[in-house]
Amino acid sequence: GENVEQHPSTLSVQEGDSAVIKCTYSDSASNYFPWYKQELGKRPQLIIDIRSNVGEKKDQRIAVTLNKTAKHFSLHITETQPEDSAVYFCAASIRGGATNKLIFGTGTLLAVQP
Amino acid sequence: DVKVTQSSRYLVKRTGEKVFLECVQDMDHENMFWYRQDPGLGLRLIYFSYDVKMKEKGDIPEGYSVSREKKERFSLILESASTNQTSMYLCASSLDANTEAFFGQGTRLTVV
C-alpha cells in the first residue's frame, strides 16, 4: 500500500548543530505533510506542516522543505537545544477510500548532546 | 484547546477477552483515527472514520473493529485480544484530512 519512509531512525547531534530528517512518500496525490514531535511519555504534537502549493516553510529554528517531483520532504532544525531531544514523526495525507488518511513514518529519535 | 481524551491510560487484559478502547473529542471534528505505536514501527493506522457511522480500514485492521455512533466518540474494539496486540494505542481527531491531528494521551494495553 501507500507508505511514508523516514530516515534516519536515530540522530545524535551536539548542542548548537543542525539536524535534518528526511521522508519520502509514494502517493503522488498527497498534498499535506505535517511533522510531529513526541517527548518521552507524552502525546505527539504538531510542530510544523506544509502543503503541496509551497516548497518551503519556516518557523523560527524549524523549517520544512518539500520536493513534489521527487516525492520527498525534510525537517531542518537549526541551533539545536537539549529540549529538542524527542522522537520526530513525518506524515503524509494519502488517498484512502472515500477520503484521505494520515500515514506516519517510523520516527526519528533525536538526541541533542549538551 | 482541543481535547482528545482516551478512557484509560493503562489496561491489562487476558487473552481472548473482548476489549473496548474509548476516545472522545470535544471540537466537533469530522475525522477520527486509531493508531498503534510500537518501537521501531512508528504510528501505524488501524482504522479511521470521516463521519458518524462511516469507517475505513487503515494499514493493520486485522483483529480490530471500530464504532462511531456519535460524532465525538470513536471506539476501538479488540474482538478477541491476543498477546501480539500488546501495544500503545493512540486516538486522534482532525477537522478534515488535511489539517492538524490532535492526539489523546494514549492507552498502554497489555494482553497476558
Side-chain angles (χ1 to χ4, degrees):
Chain A
E2 306 288 1
N3 65 353
V4 177
E5 293 192 2
Q6 181 172 350
H7 299 280
S9 56
T10 59
L11 179 59
S12 181
V13 299
Q14 289 295 125
E15 184 177 358
D17 286 351
S18 295
V20 180
I21 303 170
K22 298 183 179 182
C23 289
T24 60
Y25 60 97
S26 53
D27 184 0
S28 57
S30 294
N31 57 8
Y32 176 62
F33 307 92
W35 286 88
Y36 286 79
K37 176 183 180 182
Q38 186 178 30
E39 296 177 350
L40 188 63
K42 296 191 176 180
R43 68 192 78 187
Q45 292 194 298
L46 181 76
I47 54 171
I48 195 167
D49 56 14
I50 191 167
R51 297 177 194 283
S52 57
N53 56 344
V54 298
E56 185 173 359
K57 184 176 178 181
K58 197 171 180 182
D59 182 4
Q60 297 181 24
R61 296 186 296 109
I62 293 172
V64 57
T65 58
L66 171 66
N67 183 327
K68 281 222 77 178
T69 303
K71 290 190 282 188
H72 66 70
F73 56 114
S74 301
L75 178 72
H76 305 253
I77 306 174
T78 58
E79 300 171 29
T80 53
Q81 300 167 5
E83 51 265 39
D84 294 329
S85 296
V87 178
Y88 291 81
F89 293 98
C90 63
S93 179
I94 289 174
R95 282 174 295 187
T99 187
N100 282 14
K101 55 187 178 181
L102 197 60
I103 299 299
F104 285 80
T106 49
T108 297
L109 176 60
L110 173 65
V112 180
Q113 310 296 335
Chain B
D1 268 359
V2 175
K3 280 201 170 55
V4 181
T5 304
Q6 295 180 227
S7 54
S8 304
R9 194 72 194 263
Y10 300 95
L11 272 181
V12 180
K13 296 291 181 181
R14 295 195 179 277
T15 301
E17 274 193 82
K18 190 168 187 176
V19 182
F20 293 85
L21 303 184
E22 306 285 348
C23 177
V24 177
Q25 51 95 2
D26 66 356
M27 282 301 290
D28 204 35
H29 283 172
E30 302 291 335
N31 285 18
M32 295 189 76
F33 307 85
W34 274 106
Y35 296 90
R36 63 176 281 177
Q37 182 173 16
D38 300 288
L41 298 177
L43 301 168
R44 291 183 292 166
L45 182 63
I46 305 170
Y47 266 97
F48 67 106
S49 169
Y50 53 93
D51 201 351
V52 175
K53 296 190 188 292
M54 306 304 287
K55 60 187 178 186
E56 294 270 359
K57 291 180 180 179
D59 295 331
I60 51 164
E62 297 79 17
Y64 303 94
S65 62
V66 291
S67 172
R68 192 154 180 213
E69 296 296 318
K70 294 185 177 181
K71 193 174 186 180
E72 67 270 20
R73 186 180 297 270
F74 192 35
S75 304
L76 179 70
I77 304 154
L78 285 66
E79 298 292 341
S80 177
S82 63
T83 55
N84 63 11
Q85 291 178 310
T86 291
S87 186
M88 171 67 82
Y89 290 87
L90 286 163
C91 172
S93 74
S94 66
L95 189 60
D96 62 45
N98 298 312
T99 56
E100 179 178 2
F102 294 86
F103 283 85
Q105 77 276 29
T107 297
R108 183 162 294 282
L109 172 68
T110 302
V111 182
V112 298

